[in-house]
Amino acid sequence: MGARDDAKEVIVRFKGFLLTLVLVFSTLLTLPAAAEHTGAWVVSTTRLDDRLVELSVHSSAVGHDVGVRLLLPPDFDRYPARRWPTLYLLHGCCDGDTGFRSWTDKTDVEELTAHTNMLVVMPEGGPAGFYSDWVSGPRWETFHLTELRRIVERQYRSGTHRAVAGLSMGGFGALSYAARHPGFFRATASFSGVVHPTYQGTRSTQFVMDLVRGSGADPLALWGDPVANADVWAAHNPFDLARRLRGTKVYISAGNGEAGPLDGPDAGFDSLEQLLGEQSVAVADRLRASGVPVRTDFYGPGHHAWPYWERALHRAFPLLVRATR
């Protein structure tokens, strides 16, 4: 009887082992495939029209679900094996967690790209995330250039011919990403961008820190103290990284803060656009001094407002498209 009991115990244990294996493999098989490689996966997908797609992506780098909008190339469904040139379009600050919708909600980007076989990626970047891996906090750069890139490559056939453009905070992100990752983007464009965060010292550094503080975050968690951690600020600043943009097509536009043709009849003076216009001129001068050709559109009167950024995208679009061919 002892031998039979031992045999039964072995069989029971073996069955338990097999059940454990089945549960383990079932769990592994139900994990999103992208998560195994990137730490990010698509939580939900909504096709809003023939070309506009909205994703919710869980990001380990950011620490929560993140919104992304895509504009598919017009021939996306017709050519299921083709890889597409890709434009990353970055938003500005202070839209909560819905900034990723701003380009499609506030401009005609869908119509502008309707006849261009290019994938447009419009990711969330936080209310004041500044397109960076924070010293202590979210890692937006990792999300955009590693996690999200891999998802759009696998699931939407994004190719290696890329461009990046953005407005305000997104203009900073466009130039900073291109400079920090030479060769990753073939072209970069900034529209009224915060492209020189240390311009004239506290005039610009305090502006950046106030934006971060206004979003409810610790301003020192972004790049640290502008004096004690000047090296960290410089490591993200397009002005300091100008030489790293050699070989990249660069477009920079901004106004001067005076009331312009696209402003209302009672528009006054916009000191924010004045500051960012000065930053843009300083960066353009630095690029040229560093041997980097840059196309500029310093159009004079104009506020920090969407009508100018929509116009700027139209003007920059041919350069961005040509660079990704």
Side-chain angles (χ1 to χ4, degrees), residues 3 52 67 119 126 137 157 165 182 200 215 234 244 252 272 313 318 320-321:
L52 184 59
L119 176 67
R157 308 193 304 278
Q200 294 186 346
S215 74
R244 294 171 66 88
I252 300 176
L272 172 56
L313 179 60
L320 299 170
V321 172

Side-chain angles (χ1 to χ4, degrees), residues 31 86 169 259 296 313:
L31 281 174
T86 302
M169 179 181 77
T296 58
L313 179 60

Side-chain angles (χ1 to χ4, degrees), residues 37 45 70 99 109 120-121 157 163 219 229 232 237 245 247 255 263-264 267 271 296 309 314 320 325:
H37 304 284
T45 302
L70 307 174
V109 63
V120 183
V121 180
R157 308 193 304 278
N229 305 108
V232 181
N237 188 349
L245 285 169
D263 298 308
S271 60
T296 58
W309 304 328
H314 277 254
L320 299 170
R325 291 309 187 208

Side-chain angles (χ1 to χ4, degrees), residues 68-83:
V68 179
R69 276 192 171 178
L70 307 174
L71 280 170
L72 304 179
D75 291 331
F76 182 80
D77 294 324
R78 181 183 297 181
Y79 299 107
R82 179 179 294 181
R83 291 206 163 267

Side-chain angles (χ1 to χ4, degrees), residues 12-323:
V12 169
R13 288 181 177 178
F14 183 67
K15 287 181 177 178
F17 174 71
L18 287 178
L19 179 59
T20 300
L21 282 179
V22 169
L23 291 173
V24 168
F25 280 110
S26 296
T27 301
L28 290 174
L29 289 172
T30 56
L31 281 174
E36 299 173 30
H37 304 284
T38 70
W41 61 89
V42 176
V43 176
S44 65
T45 302
T46 305
R47 192 126 178 193
L48 300 174
D49 62 34
D50 287 345
R51 295 181 56 227
L52 184 59
V53 177
E54 183 164 309
L55 309 177
S56 176
V57 178
H58 182 81
S59 167
S60 296
V62 177
H64 54 74
D65 293 354
V66 178
V68 179
R69 276 192 171 178
L70 307 174
L71 280 170
L72 304 179
D75 291 331
F76 182 80
D77 294 324
R78 181 183 297 181
Y79 299 107
R82 179 179 294 181
R83 291 206 163 267
W84 305 101
T86 302
L87 171 63
Y88 285 75
L89 204 50
L90 310 181
H91 66 80
C93 85
C94 314
D95 283 329
D97 61 356
T98 61
F100 70 99
R101 295 176 179 148
S102 61
W103 275 106
T104 48
D105 286 352
K106 298 178 181 179
T107 76
D108 64 352
V109 63
E110 188 164 3
E111 291 77 11
L112 175 65
T113 60
H115 303 290
T116 303
N117 271 320
M118 169 182 278
L119 176 67
V120 183
V121 180
M122 297 162 285
E124 178 58 42
F130 273 93
Y131 298 94
S132 300
D133 285 358
W134 288 31
V135 171
S136 176
R139 293 182 292 131
W140 289 107
E141 187 171 5
T142 296
F143 170 63
H144 293 140
L145 302 189
T146 300
E147 292 181 339
L148 180 59
R149 172 183 60 81
R150 289 174 177 171
I151 287 173
V152 295
E153 285 176 347
R154 285 196 183 99
Q155 299 186 30
Y156 294 93
R157 308 193 304 278
S158 173
T160 58
H161 294 188
R162 310 180 193 92
V164 60
L167 68 97
S168 195
M169 179 181 77
F172 163 82
L175 265 60
S176 183
Y177 278 176
R180 285 172 58 81
H181 303 270
F184 190 90
F185 295 105
R186 294 184 168 203
T188 180
S190 167
F191 315 137
S192 304
V194 191
V195 290
H196 190 350
T198 60
Y199 174 76
Q200 294 186 346
T202 57
R203 184 183 176 202
S204 293
T205 59
Q206 194 61 49
F207 167 68
V208 170
M209 296 178 74
D210 285 347
L211 283 182
V212 175
R213 184 181 293 107
S215 74
D218 176 4
L220 297 180
L222 174 57
W223 300 319
D225 181 84
V227 176
N229 305 108
D231 58 330
V232 181
W233 284 68
H236 293 84
N237 188 349
F239 180 86
D240 294 298
L241 301 174
R243 286 185 175 86
R244 294 171 66 88
L245 285 169
R246 288 174 178 167
T248 304
K249 302 292 185 184
V250 183
Y251 183 102
I252 300 176
S253 70
N256 63 13
E258 297 175 8
L262 305 182
D263 298 308
D266 298 323
F269 186 77
D270 186 343
S271 60
L272 172 56
E273 187 67 12
Q274 178 191 41
L275 171 61
L276 301 186
E278 292 176 18
Q279 290 187 11
S280 297
V281 170
V283 169
D285 289 345
R286 178 67 169 240
L287 287 167
R288 291 182 175 122
S290 302
V292 181
V294 53
R295 180 178 170 186
T296 58
D297 180 16
F298 298 134
Y299 44 83
H303 280 199
H304 200 67
W306 277 102
Y308 294 100
W309 304 328
E310 179 180 76
R311 186 182 71 179
L313 179 60
H314 277 254
R315 292 177 174 179
F317 193 64
L319 178 148
L320 299 170
V321 172
R322 285 194 302 269

